[in-house]
Amino acid sequence: MAKIQARILRGFRDYLPADMIPRRAMFSKVEDVFRIHGFAPLLTPALEYSECLLGKYGDEGDKLLYRFEDNGGRDIALRYDLTVPLARMVAMNGGLTLPFKRYQIAPVWRAEKPGRGRFREFFQCDADIIGAAGPDAEVEILSVGVGILKALHVGGFTISMNHRGVFDGLLAGIGVEDPEKKAEVIRTLDKLDKIGQDRVMEILASEVGLPASSLERIAEFLSLEDGDLDAAKTFFDGDEVAIAALDSMASTLSLAQEMGIGDHLEVRLSIARGLDYYTGLIYETTLTALPDIGSVMSGGRYDGLMSMFGAPAHAAVGISLGVDRLYAALLELEEIERKESPTEVLVTVFDEESRTAAFQFTHALRAAGVAAEVHLGNTKKFGKQFRYADKKQIPYVAILGPDERAEGKVRIRTLADGSEQLLSNAEAIQTLASTSS
RNA sequence: GUGGGUGUAGCUCAGUUGGUUUAGAGCGCCAGUUUGUGGUACUGGAGGUCGCGGGUUCGAUUCCCGUCACCCACCCCA
């Protein structure tokens, strides 16, 4: 048989056990937070009809779809995100009780050029509330975000929020109405933190071509104190759209404050978010300890997306976790660690005569809920069994040799410090069951 | 998509100013020192079409061209 070179598609990757174990632990904590906030899990197909995805992400996005013809000649594509399939599902299920709260953790595919931290297949983790307008839903979403970061023990963090209405007002005020141009200006403003105000003004002047009077107005806007909503209201005096946006943020902030999650929130009028479909609140999150990795959690309100499928317009607000960034951050902070095996106890097989006892003890451990594995393979080299446990970071080794069996006991060795305890089987199982969670 | 850089063992990298004969190191892996005990130490071993294709040459892992992959920056995002 011809040998085939083992290889993997560019931008795709295997998640090996050493990463999957801590990764799943992280997801499990996240799911707990979704659950206690009343979000239900949803699963949608990897493949969708192309027409359901096309035209939702802009021209650039359409080009990045993985698009095929299936064996039946249907024009299909791999999902590009989780939000559009959610909208499709909501449009197809008119009987859903609103507000509808769902979360979904699943891979999405984009035919982009891969780079550092950028893949063609990656996971998104979204929670959204469909069918609830106003600050209440916003506060619930922010509460989820705060809850997750607390559950993950990331340390300090700041959720910076803004409102698209602020930009709508600002840009209408200086006569920028063309959606294309609006998006361009907003994308440029979004780079403020990265490249600084001078460079932003430069780009707006030369590349976007804004007149001097507009630039002046934007410079004045950028010099507003973040978080000073009163000053912002004065600046936008008479601009109904912007004032409504500022008021909406103020009530979100005050409800969040009273709920007890306000400490992590701040208003930052410069943040913009790249996606065009946001219509209200927008926010992103940076970790105090690792600001350089960028936003680990972001989202906003996107009323209107549902109506693209001909369904009634539904209010919608959501949150999206940057799970790969969060995972990297947790490793960096040593809040989680890579681990090759879930096994808590390796039960060694001392010799042929000990095999039955080893298997029986292993079975009893499993019945008590302890992750246990019995050594597989030849028993000639007893030391190799310990080496195996050590390499797989298995914390405990059980020994049932002739000496132990003669006493009706089992020896439990803790590999971390080399200490050993001689216990009855029942005692050993009880001890191990209580130390392994 | 544009520009720059790098491809030698599972990983991180030396090296060959073109030359026969065994292309090396550290880590990792396997085995032994140690037939009731891993992590340390010592000893030995396996593992390489020098990314792939073509060209120049008496001779290419080394030089040239192409190609693919990876890295960095820009763009865009998660």
CSV table of all heavy atoms in Angstrom, one decimal, chain A residues 10 113 116 118-119 191 381 384 386 399 403-404 413 415-416 420, chain B residues 1-2 29-32 36-39 70 72 75-78:
chain,number,residue,atom,x,y,z
A,10,ARG,N,-3.9,23.8,6.2
A,10,ARG,CA,-3.4,25.1,6.7
A,10,ARG,C,-4.5,25.8,7.5
A,10,ARG,O,-5.6,25.9,7.0
A,10,ARG,CB,-2.9,25.9,5.6
A,10,ARG,CG,-2.2,27.1,6.0
A,10,ARG,CD,-1.3,27.7,4.9
A,10,ARG,NE,-0.6,28.7,5.4
A,10,ARG,CZ,-0.4,29.9,4.8
A,10,ARG,NH1,-0.9,30.1,3.6
A,10,ARG,NH2,0.3,30.8,5.5
A,113,LYS,N,-6.4,34.1,5.4
A,113,LYS,CA,-5.0,33.7,5.5
A,113,LYS,C,-4.6,33.6,6.9
A,113,LYS,O,-4.8,34.5,7.7
A,113,LYS,CB,-4.1,34.8,4.8
A,113,LYS,CG,-2.6,34.4,4.8
A,113,LYS,CD,-1.8,35.5,4.2
A,113,LYS,CE,-0.3,35.2,4.4
A,113,LYS,NZ,0.5,36.2,3.8
A,116,ARG,N,-0.6,34.5,13.1
A,116,ARG,CA,-0.4,34.2,14.6
A,116,ARG,C,-1.8,34.3,15.3
A,116,ARG,O,-2.4,35.4,15.1
A,116,ARG,CB,0.6,35.1,15.2
A,116,ARG,CG,0.9,34.7,16.6
A,116,ARG,CD,2.2,35.4,17.1
A,116,ARG,NE,1.9,36.8,17.2
A,116,ARG,CZ,2.1,37.6,18.3
A,116,ARG,NH1,2.5,37.0,19.3
A,116,ARG,NH2,1.9,38.8,18.3
A,118,ARG,N,-4.5,33.2,14.5
A,118,ARG,CA,-5.6,33.3,13.5
A,118,ARG,C,-5.7,32.0,12.7
A,118,ARG,O,-4.7,31.6,12.1
A,118,ARG,CB,-5.2,34.4,12.6
A,118,ARG,CG,-6.4,35.1,12.0
A,118,ARG,CD,-6.0,36.4,11.4
A,118,ARG,NE,-6.8,36.8,10.3
A,118,ARG,CZ,-6.3,37.6,9.3
A,118,ARG,NH1,-5.1,37.9,9.3
A,118,ARG,NH2,-7.1,37.9,8.4
A,119,PHE,N,-6.9,31.4,12.7
A,119,PHE,CA,-7.0,30.1,12.1
A,119,PHE,C,-8.2,30.1,11.2
A,119,PHE,O,-9.0,31.0,11.2
A,119,PHE,CB,-7.3,29.1,13.2
A,119,PHE,CG,-6.1,29.0,14.2
A,119,PHE,CD1,-6.1,29.8,15.3
A,119,PHE,CD2,-5.0,28.2,13.9
A,119,PHE,CE1,-5.0,29.7,16.2
A,119,PHE,CE2,-3.9,28.1,14.7
A,119,PHE,CZ,-3.9,28.9,15.9
A,191,LYS,N,-9.1,52.3,16.2
A,191,LYS,CA,-7.6,52.1,16.3
A,191,LYS,C,-7.0,53.1,17.3
A,191,LYS,O,-5.7,53.0,17.4
A,191,LYS,CB,-6.9,52.2,14.9
A,191,LYS,CG,-7.3,51.0,14.0
A,191,LYS,CD,-6.7,51.2,12.7
A,191,LYS,CE,-7.2,50.2,11.7
A,191,LYS,NZ,-7.1,50.7,10.3
A,381,LYS,N,8.8,-4.8,34.2
A,381,LYS,CA,9.6,-3.7,34.7
A,381,LYS,C,8.6,-2.9,35.6
A,381,LYS,O,7.9,-2.0,35.1
A,381,LYS,CB,10.1,-2.8,33.6
A,381,LYS,CG,11.1,-3.6,32.7
A,381,LYS,CD,12.5,-3.6,33.3
A,381,LYS,CE,13.5,-4.2,32.4
A,381,LYS,NZ,13.4,-5.7,32.3
A,384,LYS,N,8.8,0.9,35.3
A,384,LYS,CA,8.2,1.6,34.2
A,384,LYS,C,6.8,2.0,34.4
A,384,LYS,O,6.3,3.0,33.8
A,384,LYS,CB,8.2,0.6,33.0
A,384,LYS,CG,9.5,0.5,32.2
A,384,LYS,CD,9.3,-0.3,30.9
A,384,LYS,CE,8.4,0.5,30.0
A,384,LYS,NZ,8.4,-0.2,28.7
A,386,PHE,N,5.6,3.3,37.1
A,386,PHE,CA,5.7,4.6,37.8
A,386,PHE,C,6.1,5.7,36.9
A,386,PHE,O,5.6,6.8,36.9
A,386,PHE,CB,6.7,4.5,39.0
A,386,PHE,CG,6.2,3.7,40.1
A,386,PHE,CD1,6.3,2.3,40.1
A,386,PHE,CD2,5.7,4.3,41.3
A,386,PHE,CE1,5.8,1.6,41.2
A,386,PHE,CE2,5.3,3.6,42.3
A,386,PHE,CZ,5.3,2.2,42.3
A,399,ILE,N,-0.4,0.3,44.7
A,399,ILE,CA,0.4,-0.9,44.6
A,399,ILE,C,-0.3,-2.0,45.4
A,399,ILE,O,-0.6,-1.9,46.6
A,399,ILE,CB,1.8,-0.6,45.2
A,399,ILE,CG1,2.4,0.6,44.5
A,399,ILE,CG2,2.7,-1.9,45.1
A,399,ILE,CD1,3.3,1.4,45.4
A,403,ASP,N,3.0,-8.4,49.4
A,403,ASP,CA,3.1,-7.9,50.8
A,403,ASP,C,1.7,-7.3,51.2
A,403,ASP,O,1.2,-7.6,52.2
A,403,ASP,CB,4.2,-6.9,51.0
A,403,ASP,CG,5.6,-7.6,50.8
A,403,ASP,OD1,5.6,-8.8,50.7
A,403,ASP,OD2,6.5,-6.9,50.7
A,404,GLU,N,1.3,-6.4,50.3
A,404,GLU,CA,0.0,-5.7,50.6
A,404,GLU,C,-1.1,-6.6,50.6
A,404,GLU,O,-2.0,-6.6,51.5
A,404,GLU,CB,-0.2,-4.6,49.5
A,404,GLU,CG,0.7,-3.4,49.6
A,404,GLU,CD,2.0,-3.6,48.9
A,404,GLU,OE1,2.2,-4.7,48.3
A,404,GLU,OE2,2.9,-2.8,49.1
A,413,ARG,N,0.8,5.6,46.8
A,413,ARG,CA,1.9,6.5,46.7
A,413,ARG,C,1.5,7.8,46.0
A,413,ARG,O,0.9,7.8,45.0
A,413,ARG,CB,3.1,5.9,45.9
A,413,ARG,CG,4.3,6.7,45.8
A,413,ARG,CD,5.4,6.0,45.0
A,413,ARG,NE,6.6,6.7,44.9
A,413,ARG,CZ,7.7,6.7,45.7
A,413,ARG,NH1,7.6,6.0,46.8
A,413,ARG,NH2,8.7,7.4,45.5
A,415,LEU,N,2.8,10.8,44.1
A,415,LEU,CA,4.1,11.0,43.3
A,415,LEU,C,4.7,12.4,43.6
A,415,LEU,O,5.9,12.5,43.5
A,415,LEU,CB,3.8,10.8,41.8
A,415,LEU,CG,3.5,9.4,41.4
A,415,LEU,CD1,3.5,9.3,39.9
A,415,LEU,CD2,4.5,8.4,42.0
A,416,ALA,N,3.9,13.3,43.9
A,416,ALA,CA,4.5,14.7,44.1
A,416,ALA,C,5.5,14.7,45.2
A,416,ALA,O,6.6,15.3,45.0
A,416,ALA,CB,3.3,15.7,44.4
A,420,GLU,N,3.9,7.5,51.1
A,420,GLU,CA,3.1,6.4,50.8
A,420,GLU,C,2.2,6.1,52.1
A,420,GLU,O,2.6,6.4,53.2
A,420,GLU,CB,3.9,5.1,50.5
A,420,GLU,CG,4.7,5.3,49.2
A,420,GLU,CD,5.4,4.0,48.8
A,420,GLU,OE1,5.4,3.0,49.6
A,420,GLU,OE2,5.9,3.9,47.7
B,1,G,P,-3.6,35.1,-1.7
B,1,G,OP1,-4.4,34.3,-2.5
B,1,G,OP2,-2.2,35.2,-1.7
B,1,G,O5',-4.2,36.6,-1.9
B,1,G,C5',-4.1,37.3,-3.1
B,1,G,C4',-3.9,38.8,-2.7
B,1,G,O4',-4.6,39.1,-1.5
B,1,G,C3',-2.5,39.2,-2.4
B,1,G,O3',-1.7,39.4,-3.6
B,1,G,C2',-2.7,40.5,-1.6
B,1,G,O2',-3.0,41.6,-2.4
B,1,G,C1',-3.9,40.1,-0.8
B,1,G,N9,-3.6,39.6,0.6
B,1,G,C8,-3.8,38.3,1.0
B,1,G,N7,-3.3,38.2,2.3
B,1,G,C5,-2.9,39.4,2.6
B,1,G,C6,-2.3,39.9,3.9
B,1,G,O6,-2.1,39.2,4.9
B,1,G,N1,-2.0,41.2,3.8
B,1,G,C2,-2.1,42.0,2.7
B,1,G,N2,-1.8,43.3,2.8
B,1,G,N3,-2.7,41.6,1.5
B,1,G,C4,-3.0,40.3,1.6
B,2,U,P,-0.1,39.0,-3.6
B,2,U,OP1,0.3,39.0,-5.0
B,2,U,OP2,0.1,37.9,-2.8
B,2,U,O5',0.5,40.3,-2.9
B,2,U,C5',0.5,41.6,-3.5
B,2,U,C4',1.1,42.6,-2.7
B,2,U,O4',0.4,42.8,-1.4
B,2,U,C3',2.5,42.3,-2.2
B,2,U,O3',3.5,42.5,-3.2
B,2,U,C2',2.7,43.2,-1.0
B,2,U,O2',3.0,44.5,-1.3
B,2,U,C1',1.3,43.1,-0.4
B,2,U,N1,1.2,42.0,0.6
B,2,U,C2,1.6,42.2,1.9
B,2,U,O2,2.2,43.3,2.2
B,2,U,N3,1.5,41.2,2.8
B,2,U,C4,0.9,40.0,2.5
B,2,U,O4,0.9,39.1,3.4
B,2,U,C5,0.5,39.8,1.2
B,2,U,C6,0.6,40.8,0.3
B,29,C,P,11.0,11.3,27.5
B,29,C,OP1,9.7,11.0,28.2
B,29,C,OP2,12.2,11.2,28.3
B,29,C,O5',11.1,10.4,26.2
B,29,C,C5',10.0,10.2,25.3
B,29,C,C4',10.4,9.2,24.2
B,29,C,O4',11.5,9.8,23.4
B,29,C,C3',10.9,7.9,24.7
B,29,C,O3',9.9,7.0,25.0
B,29,C,C2',11.7,7.5,23.5
B,29,C,O2',10.9,6.9,22.5
B,29,C,C1',12.3,8.8,23.0
B,29,C,N1,13.7,9.0,23.5
B,29,C,C2,14.8,8.4,22.9
B,29,C,O2,14.5,7.6,22.0
B,29,C,N3,16.0,8.6,23.4
B,29,C,C4,16.2,9.4,24.4
B,29,C,N4,17.4,9.6,24.8
B,29,C,C5,15.1,10.1,25.0
B,29,C,C6,13.9,9.9,24.6
B,30,C,P,10.1,6.0,26.3
B,30,C,OP1,8.8,5.5,26.5
B,30,C,OP2,10.8,6.8,27.4
B,30,C,O5',11.1,4.9,25.7
B,30,C,C5',10.6,4.0,24.7
B,30,C,C4',11.8,3.2,24.3
B,30,C,O4',12.8,4.0,23.6
B,30,C,C3',12.5,2.5,25.4
B,30,C,O3',11.8,1.3,25.8
B,30,C,C2',13.8,2.2,24.7
B,30,C,O2',13.7,1.1,23.8
B,30,C,C1',14.1,3.4,23.9
B,30,C,N1,14.9,4.4,24.7
B,30,C,C2,16.3,4.3,24.7
B,30,C,O2,16.8,3.3,24.1
B,30,C,N3,17.0,5.1,25.4
B,30,C,C4,16.4,6.2,26.0
B,30,C,N4,17.2,7.0,26.6
B,30,C,C5,15.0,6.4,26.0
B,30,C,C6,14.3,5.5,25.3
B,31,A,P,12.0,0.9,27.4
B,31,A,OP1,11.0,-0.2,27.6
B,31,A,OP2,11.9,2.1,28.2
B,31,A,O5',13.5,0.4,27.5
B,31,A,C5',13.8,-0.8,26.8
B,31,A,C4',15.3,-1.0,26.9
B,31,A,O4',16.0,0.2,26.3
B,31,A,C3',15.9,-1.0,28.3
B,31,A,O3',15.8,-2.3,28.9
B,31,A,C2',17.4,-0.7,28.0
B,31,A,O2',18.0,-1.9,27.4
B,31,A,C1',17.3,0.3,26.9
B,31,A,N9,17.3,1.7,27.5
B,31,A,C8,16.3,2.6,27.8
B,31,A,N7,16.7,3.7,28.3
B,31,A,C5,18.1,3.6,28.4
B,31,A,C6,19.1,4.4,28.9
B,31,A,N6,18.9,5.6,29.4
B,31,A,N1,20.4,3.9,28.9
B,31,A,C2,20.6,2.7,28.4
B,31,A,N3,19.7,1.8,27.9
B,31,A,C4,18.5,2.3,27.9
B,32,G,P,15.7,-2.4,30.5
B,32,G,OP1,15.3,-3.8,30.8
B,32,G,OP2,14.9,-1.3,31.0
B,32,G,O5',17.2,-2.1,30.9
B,32,G,C5',18.2,-3.1,30.7
B,32,G,C4',19.6,-2.6,31.0
B,32,G,O4',19.8,-1.4,30.3
B,32,G,C3',19.9,-2.2,32.4
B,32,G,O3',20.2,-3.4,33.2
B,32,G,C2',21.1,-1.3,32.3
B,32,G,O2',22.3,-2.0,32.0
B,32,G,C1',20.7,-0.5,31.0
B,32,G,N9,20.0,0.8,31.3
B,32,G,C8,18.7,1.1,31.2
B,32,G,N7,18.5,2.3,31.6
B,32,G,C5,19.7,2.8,31.9
B,32,G,C6,20.1,4.1,32.4
B,32,G,O6,19.3,5.1,32.6
B,32,G,N1,21.4,4.2,32.7
B,32,G,C2,22.3,3.2,32.5
B,32,G,N2,23.6,3.5,32.8
B,32,G,N3,22.0,2.0,32.0
B,32,G,C4,20.7,1.9,31.8
B,36,G,P,12.1,-7.4,42.9
B,36,G,OP1,12.8,-7.9,44.1
B,36,G,OP2,11.0,-8.2,42.3
B,36,G,O5',11.3,-6.0,43.4
B,36,G,C5',11.1,-5.0,42.5
B,36,G,C4',10.4,-3.8,43.3
B,36,G,O4',9.2,-4.4,43.9
B,36,G,C3',11.3,-3.3,44.4
B,36,G,O3',11.4,-1.9,44.2
B,36,G,C2',10.5,-3.6,45.7
B,36,G,O2',10.4,-2.5,46.5
B,36,G,C1',9.1,-3.9,45.2
B,36,G,N9,8.4,-4.8,46.0
B,36,G,C8,8.7,-6.1,46.3
B,36,G,N7,7.9,-6.7,47.1
B,36,G,C5,6.9,-5.8,47.3
B,36,G,C6,5.7,-5.8,48.0
B,36,G,O6,5.3,-6.8,48.7
B,36,G,N1,5.0,-4.6,48.0
B,36,G,C2,5.4,-3.5,47.3
B,36,G,N2,4.6,-2.5,47.4
B,36,G,N3,6.5,-3.4,46.6
B,36,G,C4,7.2,-4.6,46.6
B,37,U,P,12.5,-1.4,43.2
B,37,U,OP1,12.6,-2.3,42.1
B,37,U,OP2,13.7,-1.0,44.0
B,37,U,O5',11.8,0.0,42.7
B,37,U,C5',10.8,-0.1,41.6
B,37,U,C4',10.1,1.2,41.5
B,37,U,O4',8.9,1.2,42.2
B,37,U,C3',11.0,2.3,42.0
B,37,U,O3',10.9,3.5,41.2
B,37,U,C2',10.4,2.6,43.4
B,37,U,O2',10.5,3.9,43.8
B,37,U,C1',8.9,2.2,43.2
B,37,U,N1,8.2,1.7,44.4
B,37,U,C2,7.4,2.5,45.1
B,37,U,O2,7.2,3.7,44.7
B,37,U,N3,6.8,2.0,46.1
B,37,U,C4,7.0,0.7,46.6
B,37,U,O4,6.3,0.3,47.6
B,37,U,C5,7.8,-0.1,45.8
B,37,U,C6,8.4,0.4,44.8
B,38,G,P,12.2,3.9,40.4
B,38,G,OP1,12.7,2.8,39.5
B,38,G,OP2,13.2,4.4,41.3
B,38,G,O5',11.6,5.0,39.5
B,38,G,C5',11.0,4.8,38.3
B,38,G,C4',10.2,5.9,37.9
B,38,G,O4',9.0,6.1,38.8
B,38,G,C3',10.9,7.3,38.0
B,38,G,O3',11.7,7.5,36.8
B,38,G,C2',9.7,8.3,38.1
B,38,G,O2',9.1,8.5,36.8
B,38,G,C1',8.8,7.5,39.0
B,38,G,N9,8.9,7.8,40.4
B,38,G,C8,9.5,7.1,41.4
B,38,G,N7,9.3,7.6,42.5
B,38,G,C5,8.6,8.8,42.3
B,38,G,C6,8.1,9.7,43.2
B,38,G,O6,8.3,9.8,44.5
B,38,G,N1,7.4,10.7,42.6
B,38,G,C2,7.2,10.8,41.3
B,38,G,N2,6.5,11.8,40.8
B,38,G,N3,7.6,9.9,40.4
B,38,G,C4,8.3,8.9,41.0
B,39,G,P,13.1,8.3,36.9
B,39,G,OP1,13.7,8.2,35.6
B,39,G,OP2,13.8,7.8,38.1
B,39,G,O5',12.6,9.8,37.2
B,39,G,C5',12.0,10.6,36.2
B,39,G,C4',11.6,11.9,36.8
B,39,G,O4',10.7,11.5,37.9
B,39,G,C3',12.7,12.7,37.4
B,39,G,O3',13.0,13.7,36.4
B,39,G,C2',12.1,13.3,38.6
B,39,G,O2',11.7,14.7,38.4
B,39,G,C1',10.9,12.5,39.0
B,39,G,N9,11.2,11.7,40.2
B,39,G,C8,11.9,10.6,40.4
B,39,G,N7,11.9,10.2,41.7
B,39,G,C5,11.2,11.2,42.3
B,39,G,C6,10.9,11.3,43.7
B,39,G,O6,11.2,10.6,44.7
B,39,G,N1,10.1,12.5,44.0
B,39,G,C2,9.7,13.3,43.0
B,39,G,N2,8.9,14.4,43.4
B,39,G,N3,9.9,13.2,41.7
B,39,G,C4,10.7,12.1,41.5
B,70,C,P,1.5,27.0,6.7
B,70,C,OP1,0.4,26.5,7.6
B,70,C,OP2,1.3,28.0,5.7
B,70,C,O5',2.7,27.5,7.7
B,70,C,C5',3.1,26.7,8.8
B,70,C,C4',4.4,27.3,9.4
B,70,C,O4',5.4,27.3,8.3
B,70,C,C3',4.4,28.7,9.8
B,70,C,O3',3.9,28.9,11.1
B,70,C,C2',5.9,29.1,9.8
B,70,C,O2',6.6,28.5,10.8
B,70,C,C1',6.3,28.4,8.5
B,70,C,N1,6.2,29.2,7.3
B,70,C,C2,7.2,30.1,7.1
B,70,C,O2,8.2,30.2,7.8
B,70,C,N3,7.2,31.0,6.0
B,70,C,C4,6.2,30.9,5.1
B,70,C,N4,6.2,31.7,4.1
B,70,C,C5,5.1,30.0,5.4
B,70,C,C6,5.1,29.2,6.4
B,72,C,P,4.6,35.2,14.1
B,72,C,OP1,4.4,35.4,15.5
B,72,C,OP2,3.5,34.9,13.2
B,72,C,O5',5.3,36.5,13.5
B,72,C,C5',6.4,37.1,14.2
B,72,C,C4',7.0,38.2,13.4
B,72,C,O4',7.5,37.8,12.1
B,72,C,C3',6.0,39.3,13.0
B,72,C,O3',5.7,40.2,14.1
B,72,C,C2',6.7,40.0,11.8
B,72,C,O2',7.7,40.9,12.3
B,72,C,C1',7.3,38.8,11.1
B,72,C,N1,6.5,38.3,10.0
B,72,C,C2,6.6,39.0,8.8
B,72,C,O2,7.3,39.9,8.7
B,72,C,N3,5.8,38.6,7.8
B,72,C,C4,5.0,37.5,7.9
B,72,C,N4,4.2,37.2,6.9
B,72,C,C5,4.9,36.8,9.2
B,72,C,C6,5.6,37.3,10.2
B,75,C,P,-2.6,48.3,9.3
B,75,C,OP1,-3.1,49.7,9.4
B,75,C,OP2,-2.5,47.5,10.6
B,75,C,O5',-3.5,47.5,8.3
B,75,C,C5',-3.9,48.1,7.1
B,75,C,C4',-4.7,47.1,6.3
B,75,C,O4',-3.9,45.9,6.0
B,75,C,C3',-5.9,46.5,7.0
B,75,C,O3',-7.1,47.3,6.9
B,75,C,C2',-6.1,45.2,6.2
B,75,C,O2',-6.8,45.4,5.0
B,75,C,C1',-4.7,44.7,6.0
B,75,C,N1,-4.2,43.8,7.0
B,75,C,C2,-4.5,42.4,6.9
B,75,C,O2,-5.1,42.0,5.9
B,75,C,N3,-4.0,41.6,7.8
B,75,C,C4,-3.4,42.0,8.9
B,75,C,N4,-3.0,41.2,9.8
B,75,C,C5,-3.2,43.4,9.1
B,75,C,C6,-3.6,44.3,8.2
B,76,C,P,-8.0,47.6,8.2
B,76,C,OP1,-9.0,48.5,7.8
B,76,C,OP2,-7.1,47.9,9.3
B,76,C,O5',-8.6,46.2,8.5
B,76,C,C5',-9.7,45.7,7.6
B,76,C,C4',-9.9,44.2,7.8
B,76,C,O4',-8.6,43.6,7.8
B,76,C,C3',-10.5,43.8,9.2
B,76,C,O3',-11.9,44.0,9.2
B,76,C,C2',-10.1,42.3,9.2
B,76,C,O2',-10.9,41.6,8.4
B,76,C,C1',-8.7,42.4,8.6
B,76,C,N1,-7.7,42.5,9.7
B,76,C,C2,-7.2,41.3,10.2
B,76,C,O2,-7.7,40.2,9.8
B,76,C,N3,-6.3,41.3,11.2
B,76,C,C4,-5.8,42.5,11.7
B,76,C,N4,-4.9,42.4,12.6
B,76,C,C5,-6.3,43.7,11.1
B,76,C,C6,-7.2,43.7,10.1
B,77,C,P,-12.6,44.5,10.6
B,77,C,OP1,-14.0,44.5,10.3
B,77,C,OP2,-11.9,45.7,11.1
B,77,C,O5',-12.2,43.3,11.6
B,77,C,C5',-13.2,42.4,12.0
B,77,C,C4',-12.7,41.0,12.1
B,77,C,O4',-11.2,41.0,11.9
B,77,C,C3',-12.7,40.3,13.5
B,77,C,O3',-14.0,39.8,13.7
B,77,C,C2',-11.7,39.3,13.4
B,77,C,O2',-12.1,38.2,12.7
B,77,C,C1',-10.6,40.0,12.6
B,77,C,N1,-9.5,40.6,13.4
B,77,C,C2,-8.7,39.8,14.2
B,77,C,O2,-8.9,38.5,14.1
B,77,C,N3,-7.7,40.3,14.9
B,77,C,C4,-7.5,41.6,15.0
B,77,C,N4,-6.6,42.1,15.7
B,77,C,C5,-8.4,42.5,14.2
B,77,C,C6,-9.3,42.0,13.5
B,78,A,P,-14.6,39.8,15.2
B,78,A,OP1,-16.1,39.6,15.1
B,78,A,OP2,-14.1,41.0,15.9
B,78,A,O5',-14.0,38.5,16.0
B,78,A,C5',-14.6,38.1,17.2
B,78,A,C4',-13.6,37.2,17.9
B,78,A,O4',-13.3,36.1,17.0
B,78,A,C3',-12.3,37.9,18.3
B,78,A,O3',-12.0,37.5,19.6
B,78,A,C2',-11.3,37.4,17.3
B,78,A,O2',-10.0,37.3,17.9
B,78,A,C1',-11.9,36.0,17.0
B,78,A,N9,-11.4,35.6,15.7
B,78,A,C8,-11.8,36.1,14.5
B,78,A,N7,-11.2,35.5,13.5
B,78,A,C5,-10.4,34.5,14.0
B,78,A,C6,-9.6,33.5,13.5
B,78,A,N6,-9.4,33.4,12.2
B,78,A,N1,-8.9,32.7,14.4
B,78,A,C2,-9.1,32.9,15.7
B,78,A,N3,-9.9,33.8,16.3
B,78,A,C4,-10.6,34.6,15.4
